[in-house]
Amino acid sequence: MDRSACDKVMIALRKIIQAIDLNSRQLVKRVGLTGPQLVILREIAILGEVTAGEIARAVSLSQATVTGIVDRMEKRGLVVRRRSEQDKRKIMIRVTPAGSDIIEKAPPLMQEAFEARFENLPAWEQNMILSALLRLVS
């Protein structure tokens, strides 16, 4: 039986989701963090002291999602929060030495391997993939 193009796309998307899930489970076993948690922890380390809103914009997640992840990381001592001295309404987040340790020990993120492979594709193919994905998303 020949599968339709739609079926093949759905199968490919499921395989991508499964690969992301598997990678996240392996990360949890190795460093105790999921993929999104590690992405956020690394982003905080790169940006320095930042707000949850700034992190959310940098990693394309909702502020509520980022706040929940930061709550869990704060309980584990990986990040700390403090009120901004310049603007008392802002809560600033920074990585602790324990968080920096995890970043050092963590394997490369799945997205880093993806980026390396994606950048090796010709520009026309990158644009075609991007265009198709953006169209599916909308």
Side-chain angles (χ1 to χ4, degrees):
M1 181 168 112
D2 199 24
R3 294 194 180 271
S4 71
C6 184
D7 286 343
K8 289 176 184 175
V9 168
M10 291 304 297
I11 289 168
L13 289 173
R14 272 193 225 95
K15 286 181 179 181
I16 291 169
I17 292 166
Q18 288 169 347
I20 291 168
D21 269 357
L22 178 62
N23 181 262
S24 197
R25 283 195 300 273
Q26 289 171 343
L27 266 176
V28 169
K29 285 180 184 174
R30 277 185 78 178
V31 294
L33 295 177
T34 64
Q37 288 172 329
L38 185 56
V39 166
I40 288 172
L41 189 62
R42 284 185 172 176
E43 197 62 35
I44 296 168
I46 290 166
L47 297 174
E49 203 169 51
V50 292
T51 65
E54 291 168 325
I55 299 164
R57 281 187 293 283
V59 298
S60 297
L61 291 172
S62 74
Q63 188 166 340
T65 299
V66 168
T67 298
I69 290 172
V70 168
D71 286 345
R72 289 187 290 284
M73 289 194 297
E74 185 178 32
K75 285 178 185 156
R76 291 188 50 200
L78 305 178
V79 298
V80 292
R81 290 179 167 121
R82 72 164 188 83
R83 196 165 294 281
S84 169
E85 293 179 17
Q86 289 81 19
D87 184 346
K88 299 292 183 196
R89 298 169 296 176
K90 288 185 179 180
I91 303 296
M92 307 305 293
I93 305 160
R94 69 176 166 76
V95 175
T96 65
S100 293
D101 262 3
I102 286 196
I103 292 169
E104 294 286 322
K105 294 175 186 168
L109 290 168
M110 183 179 187
Q111 74 188 46
E112 292 168 0
F114 170 80
E115 285 172 13
R117 290 180 176 160
F118 187 77
E119 288 173 2
N120 283 334
L121 296 173
W124 68 267
E125 197 168 3
Q126 290 178 20
N127 288 325
M128 201 170 81
I129 291 168
L130 175 61
S131 176
L133 288 173
L134 291 174
R135 185 139 182 191
L136 278 174
V137 167
S138 70

